[in-house]
Amino acid sequence: MPGAGTKTQEDLGNKSARKTPTHLKFWGVRGSIPTPGPTTVRYGGNTSCIEVRADDAYRKRVTARIASWSGAREASTKRRATAGANKGVSGALNPAFVFATLSGKLSPDDVVLNEAIRNGPILQEHVTRTRPKSYVGLAGGGLGFSGGMALGLKLAQPGRRVVQVIGDGGFHFSSPDSVYAVAQQYQIPILTVVLDNGGWQAVKSAVQRVYPKGIAAETDQFQSRLMSGRQGERRDFSDVAKAFGAYGECVTEPDELAAAIDRAFAALDDGKAAVLHIRVTRL
């Protein structure tokens, strides 16, 4: 608190701010016209200066920019369709194909919770969500957050299907035994899709960026891989679900994916949680 007799910035009228136009920057939005005025003014109610300064040359640039989107949109649609049609191979499904298939099974009101990490942008390209609150993600850190959040979303919106998409590395962090124990105890049917690429792709990519010619890159031996092949390694995340009364299935064949999704949704309709462990392209 300022002391007695002290003039605050508001008292002074912020004279310096009046002399210099305020540039309001928004993430992901490129601005071309700076708007002068105090930041306390509601931006949405101060459009007159923009209308005055938007001359014919400006409007022509806007029109040309909008027209350029058409070609880019068509190219993006074609690229997305090509990627989604690539099924991958046995034991290593293509994530784009997985998401395209899942998208075709979803209803507009289903809630998709994205913790696919490095496959997250691919999910955004192929899983169409247009209804309010039908897509949920996390802007910051917190690996493994989506398990508990999926339960909360289902409790908050019991009439909507909740589909959690998570990588195998994140699945380890999500305390899955607790998630499905709670799902069983309180009858909270959620679907978890585990994309198993055999480890932490983000960690591998970080090592490649910092040490592009390091030993790990030269030998293709990365500690981020979670598959060792030791002790007759058995790796089936769907068994975690089965241990707590949920439906679980491991998908290794591209042509089996669609039917597996149908069976998982049928389990949800029956009041059970479900886990689909899908083996995707290895990191």
CSV table of all heavy atoms in Angstrom, one decimal, residues 177-208:
chain,number,residue,atom,x,y,z
A,177,ASP,N,-3.5,-47.9,-11.3
A,177,ASP,CA,-4.2,-48.8,-10.4
A,177,ASP,C,-5.2,-48.1,-9.6
A,177,ASP,O,-6.4,-48.5,-9.4
A,177,ASP,CB,-3.3,-49.6,-9.5
A,177,ASP,CG,-2.3,-48.7,-8.8
A,177,ASP,OD1,-2.1,-47.6,-9.2
A,177,ASP,OD2,-1.8,-49.1,-7.7
A,178,SER,N,-4.8,-46.9,-9.1
A,178,SER,CA,-5.8,-46.0,-8.3
A,178,SER,C,-6.9,-45.6,-9.2
A,178,SER,O,-8.1,-45.5,-8.8
A,178,SER,CB,-5.0,-44.8,-7.8
A,178,SER,OG,-4.0,-45.2,-6.9
A,179,VAL,N,-6.6,-45.2,-10.4
A,179,VAL,CA,-7.7,-44.7,-11.3
A,179,VAL,C,-8.8,-45.7,-11.5
A,179,VAL,O,-10.0,-45.4,-11.4
A,179,VAL,CB,-7.1,-44.2,-12.7
A,179,VAL,CG1,-8.2,-44.0,-13.7
A,179,VAL,CG2,-6.2,-43.0,-12.6
A,180,TYR,N,-8.4,-46.9,-11.8
A,180,TYR,CA,-9.4,-47.9,-12.1
A,180,TYR,C,-10.0,-48.5,-10.9
A,180,TYR,O,-11.2,-49.0,-10.9
A,180,TYR,CB,-8.8,-49.0,-13.1
A,180,TYR,CG,-8.3,-48.3,-14.3
A,180,TYR,CD1,-7.0,-48.2,-14.6
A,180,TYR,CD2,-9.2,-47.6,-15.2
A,180,TYR,CE1,-6.5,-47.5,-15.7
A,180,TYR,CE2,-8.7,-46.9,-16.3
A,180,TYR,CZ,-7.4,-46.9,-16.5
A,180,TYR,OH,-6.9,-46.1,-17.6
A,181,ALA,N,-9.3,-48.5,-9.8
A,181,ALA,CA,-9.9,-48.9,-8.5
A,181,ALA,C,-11.1,-47.9,-8.2
A,181,ALA,O,-12.1,-48.3,-7.7
A,181,ALA,CB,-8.9,-48.9,-7.4
A,182,VAL,N,-10.8,-46.6,-8.4
A,182,VAL,CA,-11.8,-45.6,-8.1
A,182,VAL,C,-13.0,-45.7,-9.1
A,182,VAL,O,-14.1,-45.6,-8.7
A,182,VAL,CB,-11.2,-44.2,-8.2
A,182,VAL,CG1,-12.3,-43.1,-8.2
A,182,VAL,CG2,-10.2,-43.9,-7.0
A,183,ALA,N,-12.6,-46.0,-10.4
A,183,ALA,CA,-13.6,-46.1,-11.4
A,183,ALA,C,-14.6,-47.3,-11.0
A,183,ALA,O,-15.8,-47.2,-11.2
A,183,ALA,CB,-13.0,-46.4,-12.7
A,184,GLN,N,-14.0,-48.4,-10.5
A,184,GLN,CA,-14.8,-49.5,-10.1
A,184,GLN,C,-15.6,-49.2,-8.9
A,184,GLN,O,-16.8,-49.5,-8.8
A,184,GLN,CB,-13.9,-50.7,-9.8
A,184,GLN,CG,-14.7,-52.0,-9.4
A,184,GLN,CD,-13.7,-53.2,-9.2
A,184,GLN,OE1,-13.8,-54.2,-9.8
A,184,GLN,NE2,-12.8,-53.0,-8.3
A,185,GLN,N,-15.0,-48.6,-7.9
A,185,GLN,CA,-15.7,-48.3,-6.6
A,185,GLN,C,-16.9,-47.4,-6.8
A,185,GLN,O,-17.9,-47.6,-6.2
A,185,GLN,CB,-14.7,-47.7,-5.6
A,185,GLN,CG,-15.3,-47.3,-4.3
A,185,GLN,CD,-15.6,-48.6,-3.4
A,185,GLN,OE1,-15.1,-49.7,-3.6
A,185,GLN,NE2,-16.4,-48.4,-2.4
A,186,TYR,N,-16.7,-46.4,-7.6
A,186,TYR,CA,-17.8,-45.4,-7.7
A,186,TYR,C,-18.5,-45.5,-9.1
A,186,TYR,O,-19.3,-44.6,-9.4
A,186,TYR,CB,-17.2,-44.0,-7.5
A,186,TYR,CG,-16.7,-43.8,-6.1
A,186,TYR,CD1,-15.3,-44.0,-5.9
A,186,TYR,CD2,-17.5,-43.6,-5.0
A,186,TYR,CE1,-14.8,-43.8,-4.6
A,186,TYR,CE2,-17.0,-43.5,-3.8
A,186,TYR,CZ,-15.7,-43.6,-3.5
A,186,TYR,OH,-15.2,-43.5,-2.3
A,187,GLN,N,-18.2,-46.5,-9.8
A,187,GLN,CA,-18.9,-46.8,-11.1
A,187,GLN,C,-18.8,-45.6,-12.0
A,187,GLN,O,-19.8,-44.9,-12.4
A,187,GLN,CB,-20.4,-47.1,-10.9
A,187,GLN,CG,-20.6,-48.5,-10.1
A,187,GLN,CD,-22.0,-48.8,-9.9
A,187,GLN,OE1,-22.8,-48.1,-9.4
A,187,GLN,NE2,-22.4,-50.0,-10.4
A,188,ILE,N,-17.6,-45.3,-12.4
A,188,ILE,CA,-17.3,-44.2,-13.3
A,188,ILE,C,-16.7,-44.7,-14.6
A,188,ILE,O,-15.5,-44.9,-14.7
A,188,ILE,CB,-16.3,-43.2,-12.6
A,188,ILE,CG1,-16.7,-42.8,-11.2
A,188,ILE,CG2,-16.1,-41.9,-13.5
A,188,ILE,CD1,-15.7,-42.0,-10.4
A,189,PRO,N,-17.5,-44.9,-15.6
A,189,PRO,CA,-17.0,-45.5,-16.8
A,189,PRO,C,-16.3,-44.5,-17.7
A,189,PRO,O,-16.9,-43.7,-18.3
A,189,PRO,CB,-18.3,-46.1,-17.5
A,189,PRO,CG,-19.3,-45.1,-17.0
A,189,PRO,CD,-18.9,-44.8,-15.6
A,190,ILE,N,-15.0,-44.7,-17.8
A,190,ILE,CA,-14.2,-43.9,-18.7
A,190,ILE,C,-13.4,-44.8,-19.7
A,190,ILE,O,-13.1,-45.9,-19.3
A,190,ILE,CB,-13.2,-43.0,-18.0
A,190,ILE,CG1,-12.2,-43.8,-17.1
A,190,ILE,CG2,-13.9,-42.0,-17.1
A,190,ILE,CD1,-11.0,-43.1,-16.5
A,191,LEU,N,-13.1,-44.3,-20.9
A,191,LEU,CA,-12.2,-45.1,-21.8
A,191,LEU,C,-10.8,-44.4,-21.8
A,191,LEU,O,-10.7,-43.3,-22.1
A,191,LEU,CB,-12.8,-45.1,-23.2
A,191,LEU,CG,-11.9,-45.6,-24.3
A,191,LEU,CD1,-11.5,-47.0,-24.0
A,191,LEU,CD2,-12.6,-45.5,-25.7
A,192,THR,N,-9.8,-45.3,-21.6
A,192,THR,CA,-8.5,-44.8,-21.7
A,192,THR,C,-7.8,-45.5,-23.0
A,192,THR,O,-7.9,-46.7,-23.1
A,192,THR,CB,-7.6,-45.2,-20.5
A,192,THR,OG1,-8.2,-44.6,-19.3
A,192,THR,CG2,-6.2,-44.7,-20.6
A,193,VAL,N,-7.3,-44.7,-23.9
A,193,VAL,CA,-6.6,-45.2,-25.0
A,193,VAL,C,-5.1,-45.0,-24.7
A,193,VAL,O,-4.6,-43.8,-24.7
A,193,VAL,CB,-7.0,-44.5,-26.3
A,193,VAL,CG1,-6.2,-45.0,-27.5
A,193,VAL,CG2,-8.5,-44.7,-26.6
A,194,VAL,N,-4.3,-46.0,-24.6
A,194,VAL,CA,-2.9,-45.9,-24.3
A,194,VAL,C,-2.1,-46.2,-25.6
A,194,VAL,O,-2.2,-47.2,-26.2
A,194,VAL,CB,-2.4,-47.0,-23.3
A,194,VAL,CG1,-0.9,-46.8,-23.0
A,194,VAL,CG2,-3.2,-46.9,-22.0
A,195,LEU,N,-1.4,-45.1,-26.0
A,195,LEU,CA,-0.6,-45.2,-27.2
A,195,LEU,C,0.8,-45.7,-26.8
A,195,LEU,O,1.6,-44.9,-26.2
A,195,LEU,CB,-0.5,-43.9,-28.0
A,195,LEU,CG,-1.8,-43.3,-28.4
A,195,LEU,CD1,-1.6,-41.9,-29.0
A,195,LEU,CD2,-2.5,-44.2,-29.4
A,196,ASP,N,1.1,-46.9,-27.1
A,196,ASP,CA,2.4,-47.5,-26.6
A,196,ASP,C,3.4,-47.4,-27.7
A,196,ASP,O,3.5,-48.3,-28.6
A,196,ASP,CB,2.1,-48.9,-26.2
A,196,ASP,CG,3.4,-49.6,-25.7
A,196,ASP,OD1,4.4,-49.0,-25.5
A,196,ASP,OD2,3.3,-50.9,-25.4
A,197,ASN,N,4.3,-46.5,-27.6
A,197,ASN,CA,5.5,-46.4,-28.5
A,197,ASN,C,6.8,-46.9,-27.9
A,197,ASN,O,7.8,-46.7,-28.5
A,197,ASN,CB,5.6,-45.0,-29.1
A,197,ASN,CG,6.0,-44.0,-28.0
A,197,ASN,OD1,6.2,-44.3,-26.9
A,197,ASN,ND2,6.2,-42.7,-28.4
A,198,GLY,N,6.6,-47.4,-26.7
A,198,GLY,CA,7.8,-48.1,-26.1
A,198,GLY,C,8.7,-47.2,-25.3
A,198,GLY,O,9.8,-47.5,-24.9
A,199,GLY,N,8.2,-46.0,-24.9
A,199,GLY,CA,9.0,-45.1,-24.1
A,199,GLY,C,8.6,-43.7,-24.1
A,199,GLY,O,7.5,-43.3,-24.5
A,200,TRP,N,9.6,-42.8,-23.8
A,200,TRP,CA,9.3,-41.3,-23.8
A,200,TRP,C,9.9,-40.7,-25.0
A,200,TRP,O,11.2,-40.4,-25.0
A,200,TRP,CB,9.9,-40.7,-22.5
A,200,TRP,CG,9.2,-41.1,-21.3
A,200,TRP,CD1,7.9,-40.8,-21.0
A,200,TRP,CD2,9.6,-41.8,-20.1
A,200,TRP,NE1,7.5,-41.3,-19.7
A,200,TRP,CE2,8.6,-42.0,-19.2
A,200,TRP,CE3,10.9,-42.4,-19.8
A,200,TRP,CZ2,8.7,-42.6,-18.0
A,200,TRP,CZ3,11.0,-43.1,-18.6
A,200,TRP,CH2,9.9,-43.2,-17.7
A,201,GLN,N,9.1,-40.4,-26.0
A,201,GLN,CA,9.6,-39.8,-27.2
A,201,GLN,C,10.2,-38.4,-27.0
A,201,GLN,O,11.2,-38.0,-27.6
A,201,GLN,CB,8.5,-39.7,-28.3
A,201,GLN,CG,8.9,-39.1,-29.6
A,201,GLN,CD,10.0,-39.8,-30.3
A,201,GLN,OE1,9.8,-41.0,-30.6
A,201,GLN,NE2,11.1,-39.2,-30.7
A,202,ALA,N,9.6,-37.7,-26.1
A,202,ALA,CA,10.0,-36.3,-25.8
A,202,ALA,C,11.4,-36.3,-25.2
A,202,ALA,O,12.3,-35.5,-25.5
A,202,ALA,CB,9.1,-35.6,-24.8
A,203,VAL,N,11.7,-37.3,-24.4
A,203,VAL,CA,13.1,-37.4,-23.8
A,203,VAL,C,14.1,-37.8,-24.9
A,203,VAL,O,15.2,-37.2,-24.9
A,203,VAL,CB,13.1,-38.5,-22.7
A,203,VAL,CG1,14.5,-38.7,-22.1
A,203,VAL,CG2,12.2,-38.1,-21.5
A,204,LYS,N,13.7,-38.7,-25.7
A,204,LYS,CA,14.6,-39.1,-26.8
A,204,LYS,C,14.9,-37.9,-27.7
A,204,LYS,O,16.1,-37.6,-28.1
A,204,LYS,CB,14.0,-40.2,-27.7
A,204,LYS,CG,14.9,-40.6,-28.9
A,204,LYS,CD,14.2,-41.6,-29.7
A,204,LYS,CE,15.0,-41.9,-31.0
A,204,LYS,NZ,14.3,-42.9,-31.9
A,205,SER,N,13.9,-37.1,-28.1
A,205,SER,CA,14.1,-36.0,-28.9
A,205,SER,C,15.0,-34.9,-28.3
A,205,SER,O,15.8,-34.3,-29.0
A,205,SER,CB,12.7,-35.3,-29.3
A,205,SER,OG,11.9,-36.2,-30.0
A,206,ALA,N,14.8,-34.7,-27.0
A,206,ALA,CA,15.7,-33.8,-26.3
A,206,ALA,C,17.1,-34.2,-26.3
A,206,ALA,O,18.0,-33.3,-26.5
A,206,ALA,CB,15.2,-33.7,-24.8
A,207,VAL,N,17.4,-35.5,-26.2
A,207,VAL,CA,18.8,-36.0,-26.2
A,207,VAL,C,19.3,-35.8,-27.7
A,207,VAL,O,20.5,-35.4,-27.8
A,207,VAL,CB,18.9,-37.5,-25.9
A,207,VAL,CG1,20.2,-38.1,-26.1
A,207,VAL,CG2,18.5,-37.7,-24.4
A,208,GLN,N,18.5,-36.0,-28.6
A,208,GLN,CA,19.0,-35.8,-30.0
A,208,GLN,C,19.3,-34.4,-30.3
A,208,GLN,O,20.2,-34.1,-31.1
A,208,GLN,CB,17.9,-36.3,-31.0
A,208,GLN,CG,17.7,-37.9,-31.0
A,208,GLN,CD,16.6,-38.3,-31.8
A,208,GLN,OE1,15.5,-37.8,-31.8
A,208,GLN,NE2,16.8,-39.4,-32.6
